[in-house]
């Protein structure tokens, strides 16, 4: 009798053990099928996104011209040092040497670079500019050091330059321009471009603006921002697990911005600036404004406000010490 009970108990326990094994295997197979079949496309896309990066290619900003076709602005090619935070090592021991080398290359304080990364911590997948207007030899050294600087690359773009001297404006021989050398009064109408503020970035990010972008802040640059900006291109690259570029998968060319022609005549503007300044000097005043309008159509041919400023000092943004 004892032998019969023991045999029955062992058989029951073995049967339950088999049920548990079958259940676990069934759950494992079901989960495997779920991940590989039903969710396969989703995870494949995640894996591809994790190995691919979209690098922006800034569009050439449209130029400003006066009514006579005189060029009022230029776009000067420049280099900027950019970082994609997601591709930086997560461990401080590996990340800090990279930041230290970037600080040495650009002459910036490592703390300032960390502050820039922290400022844009919500945009880890985007390019963050940590140094603008870097010299060509600095850009070259960064390119050479690319292998040991994951997530770091040189972004080629342009900086806005406003033309104010008579020679730049083609007015050196104009009788209207006699008696003055620079036409800084154009700055009030032109305005300037500068880096996006956090508030602007948060509201414009979905419209395609990036942490590394500039935007028209005031004047014509702001009023015609959409037309002047153009459409950015992008370069889709493949990176390895360390964030280092492996290959270019596709490249989409940018569309340059549209040019804007003002009703202002730079020659009349120059003469009006000179005349207003003479009157201010005569009456020992420092501030004044004058407008020249075409009565036939209401076009503003010249608008001067003194004192004026050089909008090149604001182009691209200013620091608190400027």
């Amino acid at each position: 009798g004892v032998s019969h009970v023991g045999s029955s108990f062992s058989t029951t326990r073995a049967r339950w053990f088999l049920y548990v094994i079958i259940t676990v295997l069934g759950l494992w197979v079901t989960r495997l099928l779920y991940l590989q079949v039903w969710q396969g496309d989703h995870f494949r896309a995640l894996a591809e996104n994790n190995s691919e990066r979209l690098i922006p290619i800034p569009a050439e900003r449209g130029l400003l011209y006066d009514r006579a076709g005189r060029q009022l602005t230029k776009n000067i090619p420049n280099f900027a040092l950019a970082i994609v935070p997601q591709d930086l090592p997560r461990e401080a021991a590996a990340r800090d040497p990279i930041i230290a080398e970037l600080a040495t290359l650009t002459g910036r304080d490592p703390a300032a670079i960390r502050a820039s990364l922290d400022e844009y911590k919500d945009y880890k997948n985007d390019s963050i500019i940590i140094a603008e207007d870097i010299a060509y030899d600095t850009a070259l050294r960064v390119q050479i050091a690319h292998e040991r600087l994951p997530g770091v690359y040189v972004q080629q773009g342009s900086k806005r330059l406003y033309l104010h001297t008579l020679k730049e404006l083609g007015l050196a021989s104009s009788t209207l321009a006699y008696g003055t050398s620079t036409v800084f009064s154009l700055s009030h109408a032109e305005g300037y471009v500068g880096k996006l503020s956090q508030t602007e970035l948060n509201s414009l990010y979905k419209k395609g603006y990036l942490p590394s972008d500039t935007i028209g802040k005031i004047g014509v640059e702001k009023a015609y921002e959409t037309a002047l900006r153009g459409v950015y291109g992008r370069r889709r690259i493949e990176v390895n697990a360390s964030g280092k570029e492996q290959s270019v998968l596709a490249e989409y060319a940018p569309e340059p911005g549209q040019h804007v022609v003002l009703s202002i005549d730079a020659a009349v503007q120059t003469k009006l600036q000179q005349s207003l300044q003479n009157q201010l000097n005569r009456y020992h005043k420092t501030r004044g404004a004058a407008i020249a309008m075409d009565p036939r159509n209401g076009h503003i041919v010249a608008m001067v406000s003194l004192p004026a400023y050089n909008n090149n000092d604001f182009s691209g943004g200013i620091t608190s010490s400027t």
Side-chain angles (χ1 to χ4, degrees):
V2 175
S3 175
H4 175 72
V5 172
S7 174
S8 176
F9 178 77
S10 298
T11 302
T12 302
R13 187 168 64 176
R15 185 181 295 115
W16 276 108
F17 183 72
L18 182 60
Y19 289 157
V20 170
I21 294 295
I22 292 174
T23 302
V24 170
L25 285 174
L27 291 173
W28 183 77
V29 171
T30 301
R31 179 63 176 171
L32 195 62
L33 288 172
Y34 172 77
L35 292 176
Q36 292 193 345
V37 179
W38 289 287
Q39 290 292 310
D41 291 340
H42 171 69
F43 286 106
R44 187 180 300 109
L46 287 179
E48 289 175 353
N49 289 338
N50 194 45
S51 65
E52 294 180 7
R53 299 287 181 271
L54 283 176
I55 304 299
I57 305 175
E60 186 80 0
R61 192 171 180 86
L63 301 175
L64 303 182
Y65 292 87
D66 80 345
R67 67 187 298 141
R70 300 183 184 94
Q71 188 172 326
L72 304 178
T73 61
K74 281 185 179 180
N75 296 321
I76 306 300
N78 72 346
F79 298 102
L81 193 60
I83 292 181
V84 179
Q86 179 180 327
D87 291 333
L88 286 175
R90 296 183 180 180
E91 301 77 15
R95 185 176 61 250
D96 288 348
I98 295 175
I99 293 177
E101 182 165 358
L102 292 177
T104 300
L105 285 169
T106 60
R108 291 194 68 190
D109 188 331
I113 296 177
R114 292 192 188 92
S116 295
L117 293 173
D118 186 60
E119 180 182 0
Y120 296 103
K121 60 179 180 291
D122 295 330
Y123 301 91
K124 292 183 180 297
N125 296 324
D126 294 295
S127 302
I128 309 300
I129 300 295
I130 63 165
E132 299 183 77
D133 290 328
I134 62 175
Y136 175 76
D137 59 339
T138 300
L140 190 59
R141 288 201 300 270
V142 172
Q143 292 288 65
I144 293 172
H146 178 71
E147 283 301 313
R148 63 176 184 275
L149 297 175
V152 178
Y153 71 98
V154 174
Q155 178 174 300
Q156 187 169 358
S158 61
K159 181 180 179 179
R160 197 65 147 178
L161 178 67
Y162 300 95
L163 309 180
H164 293 299
T165 69
L166 299 187
K167 183 177 181 181
E168 290 172 335
L169 294 169
L171 295 173
S173 60
S174 173
T175 55
L176 283 176
Y178 179 77
T180 188
S181 58
T182 54
V183 197
F184 288 135
S185 60
L186 285 167
S187 298
H188 293 293
E190 294 168 340
Y192 57 85
V193 296
K195 282 185 65 66
L196 271 75
S197 66
Q198 276 288 347
T199 302
E200 289 171 328
L201 178 60
N202 292 339
S203 63
L204 295 172
Y205 183 73
K206 291 184 178 179
K207 295 183 179 180
Y209 282 81
L210 304 166
S212 58
D213 259 330
T214 57
I215 190 173
K217 293 292 187 177
I218 61 172
V220 172
E221 292 280 25
K222 179 178 181 179
Y224 290 91
E225 165 66 20
T226 303
L228 290 165
R229 172 180 167 82
V231 179
Y232 279 26
R234 59 193 186 278
R235 189 162 55 98
R236 189 159 59 93
I237 65 172
E238 184 178 23
V239 298
N240 61 17
S242 300
K244 295 176 181 176
E245 181 177 336
Q246 300 299 296
S247 61
V248 177
L249 301 176
E251 189 166 309
Y252 309 91
E255 298 177 18
Q258 302 174 50
H259 301 320
V260 172
V261 178
L262 309 184
S263 64
I264 289 176
D265 186 311
V268 179
Q269 177 84 8
T270 305
K271 183 60 178 178
L272 186 59
Q273 174 185 303
Q274 174 193 344
S275 299
L276 178 59
Q277 186 64 64
N278 289 340
Q279 291 301 309
L280 292 177
N281 293 342
R282 179 180 178 184
Y283 293 102
H284 306 290
K285 302 295 182 181
T286 58
R287 294 180 295 176
I291 293 177
M293 179 187 294
D294 187 336
R296 298 170 298 180
N297 49 32
H299 289 175
I300 304 300
V301 181
M303 54 183 293
V304 176
S305 178
L306 297 177
Y309 71 98
N310 185 352
N311 46 0
N312 286 312
D313 293 338
F314 294 80
S315 182
I318 58 174
T319 64
S320 57
S321 60
T322 299

